[in-house]
Amino acid sequence: MFARVLMSRRSPIKNSSDRWIEGKAASTIFPERVTTTLLALREKWPEAAPPFREFLANFPLGESTLLHLFSVSSICATRIVNEPKMLFWLANNCQTERGYGHMLTDLRELNRGDIAENNFEVLRRWKGREMARIALRELAEIASIEESTEELSHLASICLSQVFRHWNRELRNRFGSPDAEFTVLGLGKLGGRELNYSSDVDVVFLYSHEGQLSANLSYHEWFNRLGAKIVEAFSSSSSDGALFRIDLRLRPEGSAGPLARSLESMENYYAGFGETWERLAMIRARGVCGSEELAYEFLQQHQPFIYPKSPTPDLLDEIAVLKRRIEREIVGHENLARDVKLGAGGIREIEFTVQALQLIHGARHAFLQETSTLKTLHALAQLDLLPHKEVLALDGAYRFLRRVEHRLQIEAEQQTHTLPDDAEALRRLALSLGFASTKELAASLQVHTGNVRTIFEKNVAASIEFAGPATPSAAIFRDEARAIKSMAELAEGPARFHVAPRTRQVFRRLRPLLLAELARQADPDATLNQLVRFVEAYGLRSMLFELLAVNPRLLELLTKIFDVSRHAGDLLVRQPQLLEEITRSRKLDQPFDVAEHLSRLESVGATAATLNVVRAYRQTQWLRILLRDVLALSNPVTLLNEHSALAEACLVFTDRLLAGASGLTIIALGKFGGREITYGADLDVLFVGENARAAQNLFVAMGKPTPNGTISPLDTRLRPDGEKGPLVGSLATYESYYQNRAQLWELQALTRARPVIGPQNADFLEMAQNVWRKAGQRPDLFTEIQAMTERIRRDRGSGTLDFKTGTGGMVEAEFLVQALQMRAGIWNPNWTEAVVELAQHDILAQTEVSQLKISYGFLRRCESALRRWENKSVSSLPSGEFEQRRLASWLGYKEFETFVQSYDEARQKIHAIYLRRIA
């Protein structure tokens, strides 16, 4: 902080002015900070201003009050030192309370231009000096807790209003104006006009109805953009200080839900899935800015939810359990007596007591439908719903605890509610509150929190029993203790919120179904862990549990996904909505070809500057293909085709966006050329033409890593001269290279050449087939391919676990077929189709074809299952027995020994045919 820096630099006090400053500071509770602040102010004091001493002596609230502000608030001291003129403004505005209108008028006088200029600089400066004024008045004890909290709430409301108005105007100018209203609802302390000096601002964004602004922009997207811009403005940092921390976690579905929802969507959510903690949150909801009519309509619509006519008998138990969990999981036993907000007998217990009685009696007594805690307390007394003595005790405790909370936060406007454990800091806190010692502060705190806890237990937690969750049958898990904990997390939910009895009841119904599905998976432990993460991310716990309980097929699908693919599980945790989006699309029953993908890509609104849209599409369709795989809707050959079609469509579409009419021709090679790629594959390609920049741009764009993944990384190492050669070559360059300099393996690679896009597709294919057929007549063809196979096996093979380059592995099967194709001049980039053609030409016997297809297909299934786990290239079986058994289970083997036998036989048969035909 500024004060600490100055303290380290200041020179010893020498003159009479310095001694005067030291004398003034000596009477404060933090002499060092006050001395530093006064010295700095004296150095920066404006020449045209009244003399420094005179100004301090004549300060309207008294010199001692101003010095006390410097003592207890380093942030206010820093603001004033940075802008000494703020003192003159404080002197003129510190004696009377200021309402919303007065504060807004002052902001308008300060702001003569664009409110958003320099990251809302004027708004931040205005907010900073208002915070200093409110703190000064509270320290002078001329402002009550109600005045301070209301003025702080006005500050936040005006900031929200100004930011909203700016971005609402900007987005309407940019994208057009939706015919719908928008409002910002304040909840929590903002809704109750009870903000403290470092409160989160709990808000919900709401718009009136759905609609379509344009072909590519819905009302939902427009208003979510508006919400995102508001959040961005508040979250950005600045040298002028922060605005407020916006907290949107009280919205439907929490962090997993959209930023903004329509009125109808809100009604559907709260009517079907709203829980008790959400009722508590909605009690203090009010319109802060935007459409007042929409805010009013929302609150009227949700009156039955907020104030139920027939509250459930266990409502008080739910609130008590919620408070107990907050103490156990957020506060901790060691801080229960020190946390004035969440600890035993703290502010939250007062709020819960009041809100519990509002929930029970609010439907019958309109006076209780109030957002302010203190006003509701006195309404409860007037209605004889809470004894007068208890009301006075809660009122006194609330004021005392809020004063302590404010002193803790005035120091640096940090979100703290816990008494300091540093003795000197605690002493200063006690003195600032008017106590002669820390013992007096502790005694007063104990009296107030003791009263609150007694009243809370009497009115809310009288009969609560805190029983732990039932222990599930954990014999199916390797780590039983962790599994029990995970099941408890599913049942109880996160610490911040409370899971309603209805949700727990649904989970009790779901649990045996879940355990049965987990028992069918290869790795129940990892699957359960992923499921816990998914449930937390999904947000709507009750809806998800009900959905899974009544739809066992969806539960089966979800557990299978989490079991067979950690990558897919992580994707669903990040974007839970993808599961519903794909399963409800009714497009799982058929594969998509390239044309279908291109048609869909055309509708997503992508441009060269917005390739994330393409990446998101690729990610969604990758998951759709995996679901078809998991549900056995796609056989192994079709699965490879689907991966290839998606990759090709994304490549063609991205090339069109970036290059346009660049004249670039793209040739697919390798498994991409054969339309046989699987999970986590790079795309082997050649670029033909003159436009090197277009090729480089496409290469970068396809492989660029982002939060939405990549599109599909390209591999161009099969080009002439490999990585040392130019990225792009002309057709003549390729022809010359293949005829004069290419090695046999490079000509062999042309077996799988397949033109994808470009004006020279046919010409390249004709050239490639000519040099390929010529190479096929070389007398040393089989000898060279055999030597290459042995070299690969020697350099890259890793024994029996290597199913790709090891003896009898995939490379042997591929080289065998390609060698026979080249010798016979049978051109077909697809391995499976080529094997069939070799049989038709009597080059391979039918029994050999059958053995090759089964054995090679088995190894490719192993490869696909292993690559599916992390969406990465894998060429060997895992070395651990558990991972090998898991693979066997993924492939449908009930007996591990049968899997091992199948694996050994597949490689033996491939190698036997290879030796017979090539070696």
Side-chain angles (χ1 to χ4, degrees):
M1 292 298 293
F2 168 83
R4 287 196 293 270
V5 173
L6 269 187
M7 283 167 55
S8 67
R9 294 180 179 175
R10 70 184 182 95
S11 58
I13 296 177
K14 296 178 180 180
N15 55 44
S16 60
S17 178
D18 289 344
R19 287 193 295 274
W20 172 82
I21 287 176
E22 188 178 51
K24 291 293 182 183
S27 62
T28 66
I29 65 174
F30 204 156
E32 295 86 353
R33 179 188 289 166
V34 175
T35 299
T36 302
T37 304
L38 293 178
L39 284 170
L41 277 173
R42 186 191 64 185
E43 292 298 320
K44 299 178 70 173
W45 195 248
E47 293 183 3
F52 184 48
R53 288 194 189 188
E54 179 182 324
F55 178 85
L56 291 180
N58 296 322
F59 191 76
L61 295 182
E63 181 181 85
S64 60
T65 298
L66 188 58
L67 298 184
H68 193 46
L69 176 67
F70 297 155
S71 295
V72 302
S73 179
S74 62
I75 193 169
C76 287
T78 300
R79 284 189 184 122
I80 292 169
V81 167
N82 289 340
E83 189 182 353
K85 291 182 180 179
M86 187 186 297
L87 275 177
F88 308 128
W89 180 85
L90 285 172
N92 292 327
N93 293 279
C94 66
Q95 292 181 286
T96 58
E97 182 182 1
R98 288 154 65 88
Y100 185 99
H102 193 169
M103 296 168 77
L104 183 58
T105 299
D106 195 62
L107 172 61
R108 288 171 177 165
E109 290 176 357
L110 190 65
N111 178 51
R112 298 298 183 183
D114 181 4
I115 192 71
E117 188 175 357
N118 296 326
N119 195 16
F120 294 92
E121 176 187 9
V122 170
L123 189 61
R124 295 172 190 274
R125 286 177 48 226
W126 168 82
K127 183 246 182 180
R129 75 180 192 181
E130 286 288 356
M131 293 287 284
R133 182 189 63 80
I134 297 168
L136 183 66
R137 283 176 49 77
E138 183 168 336
L139 292 171
E141 298 187 354
I142 63 170
S144 65
I145 285 296
E146 292 99 320
E147 289 177 14
S148 293
T149 55
E150 186 169 40
E151 289 191 346
L152 290 167
S153 301
H154 289 335
L155 266 183
S157 298
I158 292 172
C159 288
L160 279 166
S161 177
Q162 294 297 310
V163 172
F164 156 69
R165 289 180 61 194
H166 168 77
W167 282 114
N168 184 54
R169 182 174 61 251
E170 283 291 310
L171 292 185
R172 289 179 187 274
N173 290 337
R174 291 184 197 177
F175 304 109
S177 298
D179 181 25
E181 298 296 324
F182 179 85
T183 193
V184 179
L185 297 171
L187 283 72
K189 287 184 168 60
L190 175 63
R193 296 182 177 86
E194 297 170 336
L195 281 188
N196 56 41
Y197 289 89
S198 187
S199 285
D200 286 345
V201 176
D202 293 308
V203 296
V204 168
F205 297 139
L206 170 70
Y207 57 97
S208 56
H209 59 273
E210 303 290 2
Q212 198 71 27
L213 189 59
S214 67
N216 297 320
L217 187 61
S218 66
Y219 284 9
H220 180 78
E221 293 167 323
W222 196 99
F223 285 115
N224 273 272
R225 286 185 187 181
L226 175 58
K229 287 295 184 182
I230 294 172
V231 173
E232 180 183 335
F234 275 81
S235 62
S236 62
S237 58
S238 167
S239 59
D240 295 300
L243 289 176
F244 288 87
R245 291 182 305 275
I246 284 190
D247 191 339
L248 288 151
R249 289 175 294 177
L250 295 182
R251 71 186 189 271
E253 298 183 73
S255 299
L259 290 182
R261 283 179 179 265
S262 69
L263 189 64
E264 181 181 5
S265 175
M266 290 284 198
E267 182 179 19
N268 291 338
Y269 172 81
Y270 286 116
F273 310 107
E275 299 190 6
T276 296
W277 67 263
E278 290 173 299
R279 296 182 195 272
L280 296 176
M282 294 299 296
I283 280 178
R284 295 198 280 184
R286 67 178 176 92
V288 172
C289 61
S291 170
E292 295 180 4
E293 292 81 5
L294 179 58
Y296 176 80
E297 183 179 357
F298 171 84
L299 293 173
Q300 288 299 111
Q301 186 183 78
H302 289 83
Q303 282 292 96
F305 170 73
I306 304 171
Y307 300 106
K309 291 183 178 179
S310 302
T312 57
D314 53 3
L315 184 146
L316 294 179
D317 290 354
E318 293 180 44
I319 297 174
V321 170
L322 175 58
K323 180 59 174 63
R324 181 63 62 89
R325 291 190 65 211
I326 289 172
E327 292 179 3
R328 183 179 66 247
E329 300 177 23
I330 298 179
V331 181
H333 178 75
E334 67 280 4
N335 289 324
L336 275 182
R338 296 173 54 229
D339 191 321
V340 298
K341 178 183 178 182
L342 302 178
I347 296 167
R348 185 54 48 85
E349 277 188 19
I350 300 173
E351 294 170 342
F352 277 4
T353 300
V354 171
Q355 290 165 3
L357 295 173
Q358 285 181 280
L359 288 181
I360 293 171
H361 304 290
R364 295 189 303 277
H365 301 288
F367 290 118
L368 293 180
Q369 296 177 14
E370 167 64 56
T371 60
S372 163
T373 301
L374 288 177
K375 289 181 180 178
T376 305
L377 257 180
H378 294 283
L380 289 168
Q382 292 173 359
L383 293 168
D384 293 326
L385 296 174
L386 198 62
H388 186 68
K389 182 179 179 181
E390 293 182 3
V391 169
L392 291 178
L394 292 179
D395 182 281
Y398 185 83
R399 295 177 188 277
F400 171 79
L401 294 172
R402 288 303 301 264
R403 284 185 70 229
V404 175
E405 178 188 52
H406 285 189
R407 287 296 193 281
L408 292 169
Q409 295 181 351
I410 283 173
E411 160 60 28
E413 292 175 11
Q414 295 297 308
Q415 194 174 34
T416 179
H417 315 91
T418 306
L419 298 183
D421 49 16
D422 176 74
E424 179 58 23
L426 186 61
R427 183 190 71 85
R428 288 196 296 267
L429 173 65
L431 294 177
S432 74
L433 290 164
F435 293 101
S437 67
T438 56
K439 288 184 179 181
E440 286 188 10
L441 169 61
S444 184
L445 179 65
Q446 187 174 9
V447 169
H448 285 298
T449 56
N451 288 339
V452 172
R453 176 49 67 102
T454 299
I455 296 170
F456 176 75
E457 289 181 343
K458 172 188 171 185
N459 289 278
V460 179
S463 61
I464 189 66
E465 294 181 6
F466 296 98
T471 302
S473 173
I476 63 173
F477 301 103
R478 286 174 292 142
D479 188 339
E480 294 189 14
R482 183 173 181 181
I484 291 171
K485 181 180 179 183
S486 295
M487 295 294 283
E489 288 175 7
L490 285 174
E492 294 299 322
R496 178 178 171 85
F497 300 130
H498 174 56
V499 174
R502 180 181 62 178
T503 306
R504 294 198 298 270
Q505 182 179 2
V506 173
F507 182 73
R508 283 194 292 271
R509 207 166 72 238
L510 173 65
R511 181 163 49 198
L513 302 175
L514 173 60
L515 286 170
E517 285 301 331
L518 290 172
R520 296 187 183 100
Q521 307 312 315
D523 190 349
D525 297 71
T527 306
L528 177 58
N529 291 338
Q530 285 284 61
L531 182 65
V532 171
R533 294 178 62 219
F534 177 75
V535 171
E536 296 293 345
Y538 194 87
L540 270 174
R541 184 175 300 253
S542 59
M543 184 180 78
L544 179 62
F545 287 169
E546 289 177 352
L547 185 63
L548 296 176
V550 301
N551 191 346
R553 289 298 304 276
L554 183 59
L555 175 63
E556 177 188 2
L557 175 62
L558 202 57
T559 52
K560 279 184 176 180
I561 291 172
F562 292 152
D563 180 58
V564 303
S565 178
R566 182 161 61 194
H567 182 80
D570 291 344
L571 175 58
L572 285 175
V573 168
R574 291 195 304 272
Q575 302 180 62
Q577 73 279 2
L578 285 181
L579 180 67
E580 184 176 358
E581 179 181 324
I582 294 170
T583 54
R584 287 193 175 184
S585 66
R586 298 186 180 180
K587 295 291 184 180
L588 281 174
D589 54 338
Q590 294 293 330
F592 291 172
D593 58 15
V594 175
E596 176 73 18
H597 283 303
L598 284 173
S599 174
R600 290 171 175 270
L601 281 164
E602 291 290 348
S603 68
V604 299
T607 66
T610 58
L611 289 178
N612 266 340
V613 179
V614 181
R615 296 183 184 99
Y617 177 84
R618 174 84 166 86
Q619 203 170 55
T620 302
Q621 292 304 317
W622 179 93
L623 183 61
R624 190 188 72 86
I625 292 171
L626 182 135
L627 293 182
R628 285 176 45 76
D629 183 10
V630 167
L631 293 171
L633 298 175
S634 185
N635 63 48
V637 173
T638 304
L639 182 69
L640 303 181
N641 254 303
E642 290 193 60
H643 280 294
S644 302
L646 174 60
E648 181 174 340
C650 289
L651 174 61
V652 170
F653 184 73
T654 305
D655 178 60
R656 290 174 183 171
L657 288 179
L658 295 179
S662 67
L664 196 66
T665 293
I666 303 174
I667 307 297
L669 292 174
K671 290 186 172 65
F672 183 39
R675 294 189 175 92
E676 298 170 300
I677 64 171
T678 186
Y679 299 98
D682 291 346
L683 310 183
D684 290 311
V685 297
L686 300 176
F687 293 122
V688 184
E690 305 292 340
N691 197 333
R693 179 179 293 275
Q696 182 64 34
N697 290 342
L698 181 61
F699 182 87
V700 171
M702 292 292 291
K704 181 180 179 180
T706 72
N708 286 324
T710 61
I711 300 177
S712 276
L714 303 181
D715 189 338
T716 59
R717 289 175 295 176
L718 292 178
R719 68 186 187 269
D721 295 318
E723 293 179 297
K724 296 179 180 178
L727 187 62
V728 180
S730 66
L731 183 62
T733 300
Y734 278 103
E735 184 171 15
S736 175
Y737 180 82
Y738 287 133
Q739 287 181 347
N740 302 306
R741 296 168 49 213
Q743 298 182 50
L744 178 60
W745 69 264
E746 294 176 285
L747 300 173
Q748 179 189 344
L750 292 176
T751 306
R752 288 184 158 182
R754 178 175 62 84
V756 174
I757 187 174
Q760 294 182 290
N761 277 348
D763 293 336
F764 182 91
L765 186 59
E766 182 181 358
M767 179 274 296
Q769 288 177 341
N770 286 336
V771 296
W772 177 83
R773 286 195 171 93
K774 183 178 179 181
Q777 301 311 307
R778 289 174 49 165
D780 63 347
L781 175 67
F782 286 3
T783 302
E784 286 296 312
I785 289 181
Q786 164 65 2
M788 184 165 49
T789 305
E790 290 179 352
R791 187 166 57 252
I792 291 173
R793 185 186 304 133
R794 181 180 65 250
D795 295 343
R796 287 190 272 168
S798 57
T800 58
L801 296 180
D802 191 330
F803 56 77
K804 183 175 182 180
T805 59
T807 301
M810 288 162 46
V811 167
E812 271 195 14
E814 291 161 2
F815 280 16
L816 161 68
V817 172
Q818 289 165 12
L820 296 176
Q821 283 183 266
M822 292 180 74
R823 181 64 83 201
I826 298 173
W827 180 277
N828 194 321
N830 183 274
W831 185 92
T832 304
E833 294 173 3
V835 169
V836 173
E837 287 195 45
L838 289 170
Q840 292 171 347
H841 286 78
D842 295 325
I843 297 170
L844 282 175
Q846 287 294 341
T847 55
E848 291 176 316
V849 169
S850 177
Q851 289 176 354
L852 277 175
K853 289 174 69 175
I854 293 172
S855 299
Y856 181 73
F858 173 84
L859 296 182
R860 292 233 61 187
R861 286 175 60 217
C862 291
E863 177 195 40
S864 181
L866 290 169
R867 293 171 72 125
R868 183 177 61 195
W869 177 242
E870 289 189 315
N871 199 37
K872 292 181 180 178
S873 177
V874 180
S875 58
S876 298
L877 295 185
S879 57
E881 183 180 341
F882 172 78
E883 288 76 13
Q884 291 181 7
R885 289 182 177 274
R886 182 175 64 180
L887 172 61
S889 178
W890 287 344
L891 296 177
Y893 285 89
K894 294 182 179 180
E895 299 294 335
F896 178 63
E897 291 72 20
T898 308
F899 162 75
V900 173
Q901 182 180 354
S902 297
Y903 178 77
D904 291 340
E905 287 179 357
R907 297 186 60 170
Q908 289 167 7
K909 288 178 180 178
I910 289 173
H911 190 57
I913 299 172
Y914 179 86
L915 291 176
R916 188 161 58 246
R917 295 290 183 174
I918 300 298

